[in-house]
Amino acid sequence: QNPDTHNKTAASKTTTKIAVAQLCSTASKASNLVTIFKLAASASSNNCSMLFLPEVATLLPPKGTTIDNAEPIPPPPSSPPFESTTLQTLSEIAKRNSLHISVGSMHESGAVDADTDEPRVWNTSLVIDDKGDLIGKYRKVHLFSIDTEMTKLSEASTTVGGTSLSPSIPTPLGPLGLAICYDLRFPYLSTSLRHSKNSSCLIYPSAFTVETGLRDWEVLLRSRAIENQCWVVAAAQVGRHDNGRKSYGH
């Protein structure tokens, strides 16, 4: 139920059914897209109007291949056919199942390092409507880095941060505010999405490490929901991936 349109009388309540997918994405785009196809079919058959996927849903690339595997993503609104074969397939999945899909993120090509001019990627969240059109896009602003005995990871080694927030995206769930994973730790971003962008639901597709997930995942999600008095949807990666990395899940 959308808190901004919810009426106090029981007779006027409206309910939107969504599907939130927990994945263990692999190093094969084809395999991941088959999994997403099955999840979309299941969501549609269960009368869901929208499917939410986690961060890097379409590919968790082997080390050293992130830039080579990135694909171009046009600005929204855009209609198929798309140059990106992955985006084209996702568009067809959404249209075939009459389903809005939040693609938690995929790596977008075209970025460069400001200091070295070397190629980089953006970590980009997408929203595709039930006709297969791209209606929303957001490049992750806050890049994750950790260096502990258990986990060593620096997103900035391959990725350039975005520089702006997306407008809220009209969806069956209401106006959607787009954020990704590490953005969860920055309350001003969620406040801006909620109040400046008028979003009634915030999303945080993620691939939290086990170390940080055990400590912070649920409490941060609850905090963002409570302080903004809105819905929060957080699809998560889970389990051990092909490259050895482990994701916390939910």
Side-chain angles (χ1 to χ4, degrees), residues 121-142:
V121 303
W122 290 286
N123 191 356
T124 303
S125 184
L126 310 175
V127 180
I128 302 169
D129 71 10
D130 56 356
K131 300 178 182 64
D133 294 335
L134 177 66
I135 61 170
K137 170 179 171 178
Y138 161 72
R139 293 169 174 164
K140 185 179 182 181
V141 169
H142 301 101

Side-chain angles (χ1 to χ4, degrees), residues 63 140 142-157 181-182 185 207-216 245-248:
K63 188 174 182 180
K140 185 179 182 181
H142 301 101
L143 303 183
F144 179 64
S145 178
I146 186 172
D147 187 353
T148 68
E149 290 184 7
M150 184 183 298
T151 311
K152 298 183 186 299
L153 193 156
S154 175
E155 193 173 11
S157 65
C181 199
Y182 193 54
R185 295 184 179 275
F208 255 62
T209 66
V210 173
E211 184 176 3
T212 57
L214 283 167
R215 185 182 63 221
D216 301 331
R245 175 178 166 180
K246 291 195 294 184
S247 294
Y248 176 69

